[in-house]
Amino acid sequence: MAGALREHLVAYFEEHRKLIEADALQLLLSDRQPLALSRELMAQAGEGSPFVTREMVEEALARRASPMPRPAAAVPGLAPNANARRPAPSFELLTEGFTGPPVATQPIAAYGALFQSRYRALARMLRGRPDLPNLRPIRELRASEGGASVIGMVSGVRETAQRHHLILSVDDETGALEALVPRDSPAARIPFLPDEVVGLKLAFAKEPGRIPRVAHVERPDIPTTRPMGRASTPRRVIFLSDLHVGSRSFLGESWAHLVEFLRGRGPYPELAASIDYVVIAGDLVDGIGVYPRQERDLAIPDVVEQYAELGRRLSEMPDRLTVVAIPGNHDAVSPAEPQPALPANLAFQLPPNVRILANPSTFALSGVVVEAYHGRSFDDLIPAIPKASYARPTEVMRRMLEMRHLAPIYGDRTPLAPLPRDGLVIDPAPDILVTGHAHTYGVDRYRGVLLLNASTWQAETEYQRMRNISPVPARAAVVDLQSLALVTLDFSAGRPTVGGAES
Ligand SMILES: [Fe+2]
């Protein structure tokens, strides 16, 4: 695991065009959140030196006011699993999206800091690309140069009246720019989304006063060549989401079969025995007051009791499993994203083998980097992306990876927390991106990343019928961490059937 993490760190700095010295790397590896620390280092490093030195790591460590977002072990009642019958599979928290309250007290200043953080994090990924020659701050652009490139955050897109070309508006930290994207050009093929960060190669017209034309669009995206995290010994993880414990529609019978399977009492006991991890991508309980008249749909109307029931359900699973759980928009934490982990006064009701993390969180399971995000931003991205739908959530997840951002759109249905660091930036590039929220099920691959929208354990509700969402419940995705091969188990009819690889 340490070797895989070392490779990820080296690749991380390479992606940001820095070389890390050996003893600096050693010091980073000794930290509990090495990737979070690396990101802090990059934020401080600037453009000057191409090296990351031990002194720089020491300074970053000294700057840290709070060394670590609260880990599961800090919660009263949570302790490492003492009953493990074989060596514990490795779990490493790399970074959590939530980083504590905003530094600025005025909302405009706090959101300003958030968007500056986003711009800087994504611009770092774009800088130095050969397809963005003559890169300039917007304020320094000169039409007389003929061509230049900028990195900007999209502030608007409109169509010209007659020819339906796009007029794209972007900002950077020095100014704003409008540029024309010809309707049928490759640059117009992927729709621009509000508040995403793009690199633009511009061509200026000879005639004075005309706006530049976009000759090429470069998105942060997943590098085409990078080291892939893979387990060195046989390990498997099962992905679940949207349990909605406490809802009348919670699929208790399917859950009971899932538990029987995991305990090795159902079909495929050898597969069950090879599973070491469970990842749950949010909406652990149904919550209260999440949508109008929700109380009619609740079997357990008290949210504390809902988490007590969740604790009982999770404790039915074998306690040798490492369970990782993030919250979703139905859970009892702030709905603004990134969301903090469940507070200790609820988390203590969960069994000790459950690690409670923020939404989103990035962690390594036996060397495989998993980014887990609940997926609330589907509600904004699906209407904004042509042909996207809740039935095909992986299309949206692919777009998230291209943008390297989980929820770029501000001011719509996904509330964004004005934190000083944009924890919704996808960094590092994961091996697996898992979401939930859609209550459907989807598997795809993009540039070596496994995209998985994990299924729900709640039947269709009236609210979903009203919103025209047809759930695909009670599917569990089992992923081999040595190969990232995936098998779907379908518990919707009770005893599991193998739904086929990748289906
Ligand atoms: Fe949900």
Side-chain angles (χ1 to χ4, degrees), residues 242 244 283 330 374 437 439:
D242 294 83
H244 289 267
D283 282 0
H330 278 250
H374 177 59
H437 190 62
H439 286 219

Side-chain angles (χ1 to χ4, degrees), residues 37-349:
L37 184 58
S38 302
R39 194 168 2 210
E40 287 165 31
L41 265 172
M42 286 306 306
Q44 300 291 330
E47 299 300 304
S49 167
F51 297 107
V52 176
T53 63
R54 183 181 176 91
E55 288 70 33
M56 291 162 74
V57 181
E58 285 171 348
E59 282 168 22
L61 283 168
R63 268 193 304 271
R64 275 191 169 174
S66 61
M68 173 77 182
R70 183 196 49 69
V75 179
L78 290 187
N81 180 2
N83 298 325
R85 285 185 291 271
R86 57 179 175 145
S90 83
F91 170 91
E92 185 139 15
L93 177 61
L94 299 178
T95 181
E96 290 184 291
F98 186 82
T99 46
V103 175
T105 52
Q106 298 300 316
I108 290 176
Y111 277 104
L114 170 72
F115 283 98
Q116 186 181 57
S117 158
R118 175 186 304 181
Y119 178 82
R120 289 182 178 178
L122 295 171
R124 269 199 301 275
M125 296 182 197
L126 288 164
R127 240 172 245 131
R129 302 254 181 115
D131 287 333
L132 293 176
N134 194 19
L135 194 62
R136 295 293 175 86
I138 288 176
R139 192 172 53 200
E140 293 176 17
L141 286 178
R142 299 286 176 267
S144 57
E145 284 184 282
S149 300
V150 296
I151 296 172
M153 186 177 288
V154 174
S155 59
V157 188
R158 58 189 165 85
E159 274 189 18
T160 59
Q162 288 176 349
R163 300 200 174 177
H164 303 290
H165 296 313
L166 301 179
I167 304 292
L168 178 68
S169 306
V170 297
D171 301 326
D172 71 5
E173 294 181 273
T174 68
L177 170 83
E178 280 197 338
L180 180 127
V181 186
R183 182 183 52 182
D184 297 322
S185 70
R189 204 171 291 147
I190 300 177
F192 294 93
L193 294 180
D195 308 315
E196 71 165 318
V197 174
V198 291
L200 303 174
K201 182 180 168 189
L202 301 171
F204 289 92
K206 292 202 174 65
E207 303 87 340
R210 290 188 61 179
I211 64 171
R213 183 173 54 83
V214 174
H216 172 71
V217 179
E218 187 83 6
R219 288 189 163 81
D221 220 322
I222 300 294
T224 45
T225 56
R226 64 196 173 87
M228 307 286 184
R230 296 290 183 269
S232 54
T233 55
R235 299 278 181 198
R236 284 192 172 84
V237 50
I238 189 164
F239 287 98
L240 315 172
S241 190
D242 294 83
L243 274 46
H244 289 267
V245 170
S247 163
R248 287 187 199 281
S249 319
F250 173 67
L251 292 168
E253 198 175 320
S254 295
W255 182 269
H257 282 284
L258 170 68
V259 167
E260 286 298 291
F261 160 72
L262 288 170
R263 298 188 80 89
R265 295 185 193 142
Y268 324 116
E270 284 175 12
L271 179 66
S274 70
I275 295 172
D276 297 290
Y277 309 96
V278 181
V279 174
I280 311 174
D283 282 0
L284 308 171
V285 302
D286 207 44
I288 51 168
V290 182
Y291 58 87
R293 295 193 291 280
Q294 186 190 7
E295 59 279 3
R296 295 186 308 189
D297 295 337
L298 292 176
I300 306 174
D302 180 305
V303 74
V304 178
E305 279 304 311
Q306 290 179 7
Y307 282 101
E309 176 64 10
L310 173 70
R312 284 190 283 276
R313 296 284 182 176
L314 294 179
S315 62
E316 292 166 3
M317 294 178 169
D319 61 4
R320 64 175 178 79
L321 295 169
T322 297
V323 182
V324 181
I326 65 167
N329 56 303
H330 278 250
D331 284 294
V333 294
S334 163
E337 296 188 353
Q339 295 179 287
L342 280 182
N345 63 353
L346 295 172
F348 84 94
Q349 303 190 91

